[in-house]
């Protein structure tokens, strides 16, 4: 399984579709434990990213990832903008030059993204942030026996698990114990992004 | 949702246009951005002060642009921190060669985006310093979490750092005044009603008809507790005492009673009466009082109280001229 | 009813106390009244300007007290004109020997109470003149009914008459400037939500979740029609066109976009953008724009637009210094 | 039938009771076609008037009426304050010196009050104001065969009739046609005042 430039663009297109569909849902998640803008932010940023990617020619996946990261950085805003921007930039840097990405490349790239997220957000696993989805997803990529459906499943589980965590970073941290029982909005958008990736990979198999 | 808007996705654009139209001699917009700067920017040789954040807190921050206060405000989407490229545009537009101080309210988004902008600006050879305001005592002071929010006390940072910059001080001096203000200012707020982000269309939380939330943040993040609505005196007491517990304000202070958007000025004055009585009781002298809407939360009903401990230096800076429309001194 | 108050029957008392406490160097209260006057009143040899009305319209009118604007404001109970004895106290407290001009918004209660006070003051040998502001074009201009209401345009009367008085002009001259402003100012408002008089406890009218009222008065009196909520551009257009139909504003104008209490400043700027576009279309030049809360209606959501036609004399008076906290020039 | 100082005080006391009882009702009447303060204004003013009257000794009814008018003038506020203040002041002046008031005195006094109202309010019968109660009441006093219950009845009818009038004076005038169907709040408070007077007269018979 190898993903090329087109697949990368497809990934962002598919993720965008899911985010647009779930714009209200993501915003609703951000209302009880945030400020009710996450869906709006992500929908604005991904829409712009997809438009930007369509307007250009690319030779390698890392170029797509870099452009996307720049658009997200300058269009999402809030906490999630610089975080996703950083994650995709680190992913892009990790897979630089390669013309296609295999599972190992993706695993390494996403791991670099995760490291970037942690640095940028000064946060760790277990703080009820999108890191709590990126962590398990990276782990899954490193395991043997990769299955797209299982990727989706592990991302979904990770997202669901954020319900049980007390937030200590981001806006949800102000809610302390009251943040329990709510899915972290950033984890939900990350889930959608990985679900899209799984679907792109599945098509290639 | 009842709002006087055209398109929920265009409110910041429309607002910035209307703001600049209203102040054609003092403000200008950096083309194709939501960055508003002093008409005469960059002021050569003066340290520039840049602030900003999500929109919906008007007059913060664009209302504080003017001689003696801010040089630029970066308007993010509603309740959404502006992006690094926008902040960078602001920095570039106002740098007069003496460097730029970023005044950042302590929210993850603001901190991340402004920090990234600062890195980009430094790569372009602009000297940038930053100060992070975290005056909200409703949040526990902790280095393991995001820490305290920046709320209405931020206005004092704008004012005093702005005055210092106007006096011709160096970036280091301006930054150190800003840090001194941050160290000496504490705030706490409360809300009676939620507010609605235009593009979301529904209120971000619920409060029953007889409930209020003490310690509320300016994006509707919750506070210390949600309880039955209390009297103005009780509210003023709760807010003031929590502030006084957190820091020793003995001596002289400036008071800021801030409305969150929908609270009539009448009610703010009623709160102010009690705040004055409480401070008088404790022997704390009030040097100056500000009552009005300084840091709002769209149409949220509620208020916050801020205290700034003053010494001779801070008093002088507080009294210095400011031509910013929302904080004329 | 969600309000930050102590006792619904004490709100005016508490507000006045809190207001004077906030401005100890510039304001004083006439003992045992709800009359607030300049600290340095009476200013010898200067014509004094007195205004007032029911409370609930803050910053009107006490926020307009200061050098270059009002000498006194009489605060009635909420939405209730102050009584003649209170107005008389104000007149006596500020008369510096050059006479007193009363600026009255055209409501039966205000007119009756201020007129009676004027008679009483004259009996005490004080020279008193009065001007009645009736800028609200939503109401038909008629001599058979109460006629047009006085709304936000009143602030321009305060400002320009105040500037004239500060220049040392005679009572007659000050009155004639005030009348000139009244003749050249027009306003119209609209509301999205009602407001609640504290002592009443229930909203004074109802508007459905999708309704707005165009032409609304500042006490919640209805306007021209109640319809489905429109866009900011449509609202601005309706208000501005009705104003332009009523009076020939060709030439130069000052614009005042006023919030009624709960409307975020963001929305006022959005309205301002369209007002500017409309006036530009008609070739009307905008000399100065004011956007903010100047004449409110407790926590009502909504706004009003006022236009003042300017000539050289009025421009100079508009630009003259004002130290009133709510209208600093 | 003759009313003395005590009866005058009783009149204000009784009227005050009715106004306090109907404070919310009067305010509710002032909400759809006014600014929702009439009950609050009248309750505040009458309460103060009664307190003032209790604190002093009087020799003649006109003294009671004059003090009451002054208190109403300085405590009611709004449009109704100067109007009621004026009405009772004119009534007082008309019956000056007399130690007791008979029906004819009351008729003349109230007529003087009505004239005062019209002058002060620059208004006439038929404009949906308290004048629309004072007018019929004065007419009734001038008629032969006075009966307290009929006084009450004519005041009540007059009040009810204000429903059908389009307001042209006062705040209700802004409501134009929409003012139809609503009782004028000032007429309702005047009705209560005359109902109290009728009860005082009835006791004397
Ligand atoms: N310090 C952090 N580290 C990692 N992720 C974070 C951090 N702070 C916030 N987030 C993520 O960002 C999401 C919120 O994004 P968004 O609502 O767009 O921004 P904001 O909180 O500024 O309104 C959270 O749900 C969380 O997943
Ligand atoms: N011009 C007038 N002439 C006679 N009565 C009037 C006039 N204007 C108002 N009123 C009376 O005053 C009443 C309203 O009193 P109130 O609500 O206390 O004062 P406001 O209208 O100032 O709020 C009306 O119901 C009406 O009866
Ligand atoms: Mg958010
Ligand atoms: Mg946000
Ligand atoms: Mg009234
Ligand atoms: Mg009324």
């Amino acid at each position: 399984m190898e993903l090329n430039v087109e697949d990368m663009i497809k990934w962002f297109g598919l993720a965008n579709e899911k985010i647009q569909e779930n714009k209200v849902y993501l915003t609703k998640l951000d209302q009880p434990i945030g400020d009710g803008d996450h869906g709006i932010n992500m929908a604005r940023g991904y829409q712009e990213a997809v438009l930007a990617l369509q307007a250009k020619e690319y030779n390698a996946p890392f170029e797509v990832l870099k452009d996307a990261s720049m658009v997200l950085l300058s269009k999402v805003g809030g906490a999630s903008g610089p975080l996703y921007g950083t994650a995709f930039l680190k992913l892009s840097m990790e897979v630089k030059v390669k013309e296609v990405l295999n599972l190992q490349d993706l695993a390494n790239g996403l791991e670099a993204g995760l490291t970037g997220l942690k640095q940028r957000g000064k946060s760790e696993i277990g703080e009820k942030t999108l890191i709590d989805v990126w962590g398990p997803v990276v782990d899954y990529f490193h395991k043997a026996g990769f299955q797209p459906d299982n990727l989706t499943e592990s991302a979904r589980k990770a997202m669901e698990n954020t319900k049980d965590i007390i937030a200590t970073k981001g806006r949800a941290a102000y809610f302390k114990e009251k943040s329990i029982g709510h899915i972290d909005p950033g984890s939900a958008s990350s889930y959608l992004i990985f679900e899209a990736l799984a679907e792109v990979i599945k098509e290639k198999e | 949702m009842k709002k006087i808007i055209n398109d929920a996705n265009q409110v910041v654009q429309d607002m910035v246009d209307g703001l600049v139209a209203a102040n054609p001699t003092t403000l200008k917009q950096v083309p194709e951005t939501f960055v508003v700067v002093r008409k005469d920017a960059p002021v050569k040789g003066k340290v520039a002060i840049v602030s900003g954040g999500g929109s919906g807190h008007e007059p913060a921050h664009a209302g504080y642009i003017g001689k003696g206060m801010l040089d630029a405000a970066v308007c993010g989407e509603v309740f959404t921190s502006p992006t690094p490229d926008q902040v960078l545009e602001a920095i570039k537009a106002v740098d007069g060669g003496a460097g730029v101080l970023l005044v950042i309210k302590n929210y993850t988004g603001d901190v991340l985006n402004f920090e990234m902008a600062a890195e980009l600006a430094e790569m372009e050879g602009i000297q940038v310093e930053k100060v992070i305001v975290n005056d909200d005592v409703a949040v526990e002071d902790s280095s393991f979490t995001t820490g305290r929010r920046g709320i209405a006390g931020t206005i004092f940072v704008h004012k005093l750092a702005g005055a210092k910059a106007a006096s011709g001080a160096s970036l280091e001096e301006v930054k150190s005044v800003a840090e001194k203000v941050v160290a000496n200012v504490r705030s706490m707020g409360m809300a009676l009603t939620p507010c609605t982000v235009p593009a979301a269309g529904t209120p971000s939380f619920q409060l029953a008809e007889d409930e209020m939330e003490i310690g509320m943040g300016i994006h509707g993040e919750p506070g210390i507790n949600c309880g039955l609505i209390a009297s103005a005196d009780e509210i003023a007491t709760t807010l003031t005492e929590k502030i006084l517990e957190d820091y020793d304000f003995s001596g002289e202070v400036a008071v800021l009673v801030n409305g969150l958007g929908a609270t009539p000025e009448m009610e703010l004055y009623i709160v102010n009466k009690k705040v004055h009585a409480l401070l008088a009781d404790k022997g704390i002298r009030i040097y100056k009082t500000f009552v009005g809407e300084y840091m709002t939360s769209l149409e949220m009903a509620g208020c916050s109280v801020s205290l700034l401990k003053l010494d001779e230096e801070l008093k002088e800076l507080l009294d210095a001229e400011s031509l910013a429309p929302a904080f004329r001194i």
Side-chain angles (χ1 to χ4, degrees), chain B residues 1-3 5 8 196-202 299:
Chain B
M1 179 181 67
K2 282 191 144 180
K3 289 187 186 285
I5 59 175
T196 299
V197 173
T202 54
E299 71 285 355

Side-chain angles (χ1 to χ4, degrees), chain A residues 1-11 14 61 99-103 106 146 148 196-205:
Chain A
M1 197 290 312
E2 286 181 335
L3 301 185
N4 58 23
V5 162
E6 253 168 52
D7 299 320
M8 284 294 116
I9 294 175
K10 216 182 272 172
W11 178 20
L14 210 53
E99 276 178 24
V100 291
L101 307 183
N102 61 24
L103 282 178
L106 284 175
F146 182 92
L197 179 58
E199 288 173 21
V200 173
I201 294 173
K202 200 167 179 178
E203 267 188 38
K204 296 296 274 197
E205 285 180 342

Side-chain angles (χ1 to χ4, degrees), chain A residues 3 26-27 41 49-50 52 59 68 80 94 108 114 116 119 141 152-153 159 165 180 186 197 201:
Chain A
L3 301 185
L26 292 173
T27 293
N41 296 343
V50 164
N59 298 313
S80 50
E94 183 65 31
N108 295 339
L114 172 61
Q119 284 167 347
F141 265 99
T152 305
E153 198 40 39
M159 167 186 77
I165 306 175
I180 293 180
L197 179 58
I201 294 173

Side-chain angles (χ1 to χ4, degrees), chain B residues 1-6 10-24 55-56 58-60 63 78 190-193 198 207-212 229-235 261-273 276 286 288-291 293 296 298-299 301-303 322 328-329:
Chain B
M1 179 181 67
K2 282 191 144 180
K3 289 187 186 285
I4 307 176
I5 59 175
N6 293 308
Q10 295 291 323
V11 290
V12 180
Q13 173 82 64
D14 283 355
M15 171 185 75
V16 170
D17 290 347
L19 171 73
V20 174
N23 300 281
S55 292
E58 292 66 32
V78 178
M190 57 79 58
L192 291 178
T193 66
L207 275 173
E209 188 46 41
D210 58 352
E211 277 177 1
M212 65 173 190
I229 182 164
S231 72
D233 283 358
E234 288 163 336
I235 290 168
T263 293
E265 204 172 286
M266 167 183 280
E267 298 175 28
L268 301 179
Y269 280 116
I270 294 175
V271 169
N272 181 56
K273 176 184 177 178
H276 273 244
I286 297 172
K288 229 168 196 159
T289 306
F290 302 89
V291 178
E293 293 189 342
T296 62
L298 295 169
E299 71 285 355
C303 69
S322 160
R328 279 290 302 279
I329 297 274

Side-chain angles (χ1 to χ4, degrees), chain A residues 110-130:
Chain A
L110 291 172
E111 180 158 4
L114 172 61
T115 308
L117 281 178
K118 288 180 179 175
Q119 284 167 347
R120 185 56 74 201
K122 297 193 183 68
S123 44
E124 280 302 324
I125 299 258
E127 303 201 83
K128 200 179 186 104
T129 70
L130 44 84

